[in-house]
Amino acid sequence: VTNLKLAPNAIPYVSTYSVYIDSTDSTTSWVDMSGMSVTITLDRTSFILIMFSTDAYTTDPATSILVQAVVDTTIASPGFITLTPTVSESGGPLIPHRHTLGYAAYSFNFYKTAVNAGTHTIKIQWKLSYGGTGYGYAGYRTLIVLALPA
């Protein structure tokens, strides 16, 4: 631990949030999540840390929401993730048990190494995991992007 202080804006960052509900029924194509896009300008090659959070739910208990972060046109690591759980279970041969969860808070961190100097767009995309009739909903959500020296 030191008392060395960083100069103002020494670590580039951008953030955004949305309080408007977004929904998707896409199961085949990734779609941009509304309000979850930022632009950052880097003066050197950087490591990009992408922090995303939302409250979300699905209407079909056998469906999960999948999300990925995209830097320009490249998918950030680790790739797509399952954001919400499936909640179907078997209650026996005659009594299947299915239920949905209400809104719950979820978050995940993505990253991209060796992002060149310049202006870059970072966005969150989503789709559903199952080709059923359900919808995925995202409520309050945030996107924060930090750029660290590579």
Side-chain angles (χ1 to χ4, degrees):
V1 177
T2 70
N3 62 0
L4 181 64
K5 298 188 186 243
L6 292 171
N9 301 312
I11 298 175
Y13 70 93
V14 290
S15 64
T16 189
Y17 71 93
S18 179
V19 298
Y20 300 104
I21 294 174
D22 194 9
S23 67
T24 187
D25 63 353
S26 176
T27 57
T28 56
S29 300
W30 290 99
V31 294
D32 295 346
M33 185 178 283
S34 69
M36 294 292 98
S37 178
V38 295
T39 300
I40 191 168
T41 300
L42 308 174
D43 62 0
R44 62 181 166 196
T45 300
S46 299
F47 173 94
I48 301 288
L49 176 60
I50 304 158
M51 298 174 283
F52 168 70
S53 65
T54 186
D55 57 348
Y57 83 98
T58 59
T59 58
D60 183 341
T63 301
S64 294
I65 294 173
L66 308 177
V67 296
Q68 65 184 14
V70 178
V71 178
D72 299 322
T73 59
T74 304
I75 298 168
S77 294
F80 78 86
I81 60 103
T82 302
L83 189 70
T84 59
T86 57
V87 289
S88 290
E89 55 189 75
S90 175
L94 301 176
I95 310 171
H97 177 72
R98 290 168 55 110
H99 60 278
T100 58
L101 299 175
Y103 275 106
Y106 302 94
S107 66
F108 199 82
N109 297 327
F110 301 91
Y111 70 93
K112 180 81 174 85
T113 60
V115 178
N116 292 328
T119 301
H120 303 278
T121 300
I122 296 95
K123 61 186 174 182
I124 299 296
Q125 294 182 328
W126 65 329
K127 70 177 185 174
L128 300 179
S129 65
Y130 176 75
T133 58
Y135 279 82
Y137 292 93
Y140 289 85
R141 52 200 179 275
T142 61
L143 175 61
I144 300 170
V145 176
L146 299 175
L148 303 171

